Amino acid sequence: MSTIPQGRLPVPDLAGLLAFLRVAELGSFVRAADALGLSKAAVSKQVSALEGRLGTRLLHRTTRRLSLTEAGQAYLRHAQSAFAEARAAEDAVAGTGEVVQGRLRVSVPMSFGVLHVAPHVGDFLTQYPQIDMDLQLDDRPTDLVMESQDLAIRLGRLEASSLVARTISYSRVWLCASPEYLRRRGHPQRPDELPAHDCLHFSLAATGRTWELRHGDEVVRVALGARLDANSSLALKAAVLSGAGIARIPEFAIADEIRDGRMQRVLPHWKIAGLDVHAVMPERRYVPAKVRAFVEFLEARWKQNPGWLGATR
């Protein structure tokens, strides 16, 4: 039989731990209080009590900003892990290891989510009436543990982490422009002609303003200026349709426009690295049924009718 460990802190301060997590996540006592449904004074008191129990300061507080102390950074890592384990225990007791039920928290990139996740949510909720969903659309990677999310859909190369990832689809990436722009400025014949054109950039791209194109064994990397930087593929698509220039956009965002001729591919014989579509989950001893069900649902939908010209490489 297990016993309660002996020591200075036999009972963890769970309220203080949660308050600290939210303050560290949101960078503000006010926003943390709103998220927890408490007053700012109550959250501040809980964090101060936690610091008193630990005998160390976790946060630097100034009138302008909050920051973690060295001890706070160390405590945060352990607190995140403890919170994830508590979530897993709650799911297990609730039976979500076997039953598709509960609240499903999902993070999805904005453009991809609008085009290829949100349209399927209604059918999923109809199929699983005991599920409620919180769908967060954001092109910036989120911290699944800190933000209490069950699943993230992420595109492209993943950074090394303790998260569990499964590749469930794929999208090619193309250079494109409007017919009007190409009539006005001409069709580039080689990548090294691109700097003479108006190029539009996805500002969150890992490669920045450098475009890499391949044709057989030839690889060309072109560093470009930018007439426009935008953090949304849908915004880039709108700019391209208006004749603003040439952009590098995933196929999933422009398939319809390519089909009906409102956009044309630029340098179509040159390839750009595509994007794997990943389902990313916090590290757990098991994956809850609600998460497995949604991942398998999306994977089946995209294989049957991906909504872009092809989910193959």
Side-chain angles (χ1 to χ4, degrees):
M1 178 180 296
S2 62
T3 59
I4 297 176
Q6 298 299 311
R8 186 166 174 266
L9 298 175
V11 180
D13 180 1
L14 298 182
L17 182 149
L18 182 56
F20 169 73
L21 277 175
R22 288 293 172 259
V23 171
E25 169 194 342
L26 299 173
S28 162
F29 279 95
V30 173
R31 289 194 289 271
D34 288 342
L36 293 169
L38 300 173
S39 68
K40 176 187 174 185
V43 173
S44 179
K45 183 177 180 180
Q46 288 176 345
V47 173
S48 294
L50 176 65
E51 291 177 322
R53 286 167 57 81
L54 295 173
T56 187
R57 185 167 293 279
L58 301 175
L59 294 165
H60 292 300
R61 301 164 175 83
T62 69
T63 56
R64 293 187 177 182
R65 63 188 295 269
L66 294 173
S67 61
L68 293 170
T69 64
E70 183 177 353
Q73 293 172 355
Y75 186 76
L76 177 62
R77 291 193 295 272
H78 291 287
Q80 289 172 330
S81 177
F83 189 65
E85 288 295 324
R87 285 279 310 281
E90 185 178 274
D91 285 346
V93 171
T96 54
E98 300 297 333
V99 180
V100 181
Q101 65 178 21
R103 189 159 190 83
L104 179 62
R105 305 163 185 86
V106 183
S107 171
V108 189
M110 179 67 71
S111 300
F112 189 80
V114 168
L115 294 171
H116 301 296
V117 177
H120 300 300
V121 164
D123 288 344
F124 178 77
L125 295 178
T126 299
Q127 184 173 338
Y128 297 102
Q130 296 185 68
I131 286 287
D132 298 320
M133 182 175 290
D134 181 358
L135 187 64
Q136 299 290 324
L137 279 71
D138 192 338
D139 282 321
R140 298 183 184 276
T142 56
D143 188 316
L144 272 67
V145 175
M146 281 291 294
E147 301 189 26
S148 303
Q149 292 168 346
D150 300 295
L151 171 69
I153 303 298
R154 292 183 177 167
L155 309 180
R157 183 166 43 189
L158 299 175
E159 298 294 332
S161 75
S162 63
L163 301 175
V164 177
R166 170 178 166 185
T167 303
I168 57 177
S169 195
Y170 178 80
S171 176
R172 292 171 290 192
V173 175
W174 289 336
L175 295 186
C176 59
S178 69
E180 184 276 330
Y181 175 87
L182 294 172
R183 283 194 297 270
R184 177 162 45 91
R185 299 292 303 275
H187 291 255
Q189 300 301 308
R190 282 190 50 82
D192 54 18
E193 296 177 23
L194 289 170
H197 284 264
D198 296 332
C199 294
L200 320 176
H201 294 269
F202 180 61
S203 59
L204 301 180
T207 57
R209 295 179 180 176
T210 297
W211 292 355
E212 181 178 288
L213 297 94
R214 296 175 178 269
H215 185 266
D217 295 331
E218 185 178 4
V219 178
V220 178
R221 295 178 181 86
V222 186
L224 302 165
R227 295 300 308 278
L228 171 70
D229 283 307
N231 65 353
S232 164
S233 295
L234 295 181
L236 285 180
K237 178 169 73 171
V240 169
L241 289 170
S242 74
I246 298 172
R248 178 182 59 180
I249 303 180
E251 178 186 17
F252 70 74
I254 58 173
D256 290 342
E257 289 74 16
I258 295 292
R259 285 191 190 98
D260 62 26
R262 286 180 291 157
M263 280 188 186
Q264 294 181 13
R265 291 183 61 188
V266 174
L267 299 173
H269 300 298
W270 290 78
K271 290 185 177 181
I272 297 174
L275 299 172
D276 285 322
V277 181
H278 308 278
V280 181
M281 295 150 279
E283 186 175 12
R284 294 186 180 182
R285 291 184 175 88
Y286 70 96
V287 177
K290 61 184 179 181
V291 174
R292 291 198 307 270
F294 192 56
V295 170
E296 291 168 2
F297 176 87
L298 289 178
E299 188 173 21
R301 282 293 176 98
W302 294 337
K303 283 182 178 178
Q304 179 184 9
N305 181 17
W308 53 93
L309 294 182
T312 62
R313 298 172 188 273

